């Protein structure tokens, strides 16, 4: 189902996120939940829930049932909606952007503040993938590296909560773009029954 965030373990075990959500650059937390929106990147102010702030997203998977298993592989599967889904999808001045996964120090669904936002987009890398307009309306699969596998294995012995943070970054460029031209993208702005409300922009900018 496109409204899900899933973790594929050892190629056969597929589990849904027990909670997913985002924290924006001001420290506001969406509150998580099993069907929460998981926005990543700069969300335009024309969408009422976004306010033009950058967002880092998070996921919580219950992996306690894999305590006795050897975890050899894991893939995070996210649905990236596009215009056909009533969402913006990928929008950027760049042809592609990098979506990266990181370790999380504590339960992100109960965290808030700029430090929690920063925690979701920094630290130990769990993997990354390049996203572009071709991924709109499709599933995005991020293969976890050994850091992620080790953290997941450890989580099976610590109550079963495996947390991941995610952030969007631009590809390396020679010059730093102006603030108003930073990457604009949404990853996972699709929840069951959710319709993004828009209000007119005061100015028009093409991304």
């Amino acid at each position: 189902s496109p409204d899900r965030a899933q973790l594929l373990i050892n190629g056969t075990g597929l589990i849904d996120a027990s909670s997913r959500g985002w924290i924006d650059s001001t420290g506001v937390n969406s509150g998580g939940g099993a069907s929460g929106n998981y926005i990543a990147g700069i969300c335009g102010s024309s969408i009422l829930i976004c306010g033009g702030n950058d967002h880092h997203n998070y996921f919580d998977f219950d992996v306690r049932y894999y305590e006795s298993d050897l975890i050899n592989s894991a893939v995070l599967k996210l649905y990236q909606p596009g215009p056909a889904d009533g969402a913006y999808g990928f929008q950027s001045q760049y042809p592609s952007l990098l979506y990266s996964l990181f370790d999380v120090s504590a339960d992100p669904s109960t965290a808030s503040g700029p430090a929690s936002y920063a925690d979701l987009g920094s630290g130990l890398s769990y993997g990354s993938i390049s996203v572009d307009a071709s991924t709109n309306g499709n599933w995005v699969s991020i293969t976890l590296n050994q850091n992620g596998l080790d953290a997941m294995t450890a989580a099976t012995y610590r109550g079963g909560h495996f947390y991941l943070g995610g952030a969007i970054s631009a590809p390396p460029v020679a010059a730093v773009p102006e603030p108003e031209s930073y990457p604009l993208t949404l990853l996972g702005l699709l929840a069951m029954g959710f319709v993004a409300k828009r209000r007119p922009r005061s100015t028009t900018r093409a991304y």
Side-chain angles (χ1 to χ4, degrees), residues 7-201:
L7 192 63
L8 179 64
I9 300 177
N10 291 341
T12 56
L14 192 63
I15 57 177
D16 292 332
S18 55
S19 181
R20 75 271 180 103
W22 49 260
I23 300 177
D24 73 11
S25 52
T26 67
V28 173
N29 191 325
S30 67
S35 59
N37 292 307
Y38 44 97
I39 303 168
I42 296 178
C43 184
S45 58
S46 62
I47 301 179
L48 297 181
I49 65 169
C50 297
N53 299 319
D54 188 36
H55 296 67
H56 292 168
N57 57 16
Y58 59 80
F59 305 92
D60 177 6
F61 289 94
D62 185 351
V63 295
R64 76 183 82 175
Y65 300 108
Y66 288 86
E67 181 176 346
S68 60
D69 296 346
L70 178 62
I71 300 176
N72 295 312
S73 67
V75 178
L76 178 65
K77 299 171 67 65
L78 305 175
Y79 184 73
Q80 179 178 313
D85 300 300
Y88 283 110
F90 178 94
Q91 293 189 52
S92 175
Q93 71 183 79
Y94 303 107
S96 65
L97 295 168
L98 189 68
Y99 176 68
S100 302
L101 300 174
F102 298 94
D103 67 327
V104 180
S105 59
D107 183 356
S109 64
T110 60
S112 63
S116 296
Y117 157 81
D119 183 37
L120 298 180
S122 61
L124 198 62
S125 172
Y126 286 171
S128 62
I129 191 172
S130 177
V131 293
D132 55 34
S134 70
T135 52
N136 283 342
N138 293 292
W139 285 88
V140 176
S141 298
I142 306 101
T143 300
L144 272 62
N145 59 26
Q146 193 61 49
N147 290 333
L149 298 181
D150 291 344
M152 189 186 310
T153 299
T156 65
Y157 297 96
R158 293 197 315 263
H161 289 283
F162 176 51
Y163 304 124
L164 304 95
I168 289 288
S169 60
V173 291
V176 177
E178 294 298 321
E180 66 267 22
S181 63
Y182 280 164
L184 175 66
T185 187
L186 302 180
L187 186 65
L189 183 60
L190 183 64
M192 193 64 70
F194 176 84
V195 178
K197 296 181 180 180
R198 306 178 183 180
R199 59 172 180 261
R201 296 174 181 266

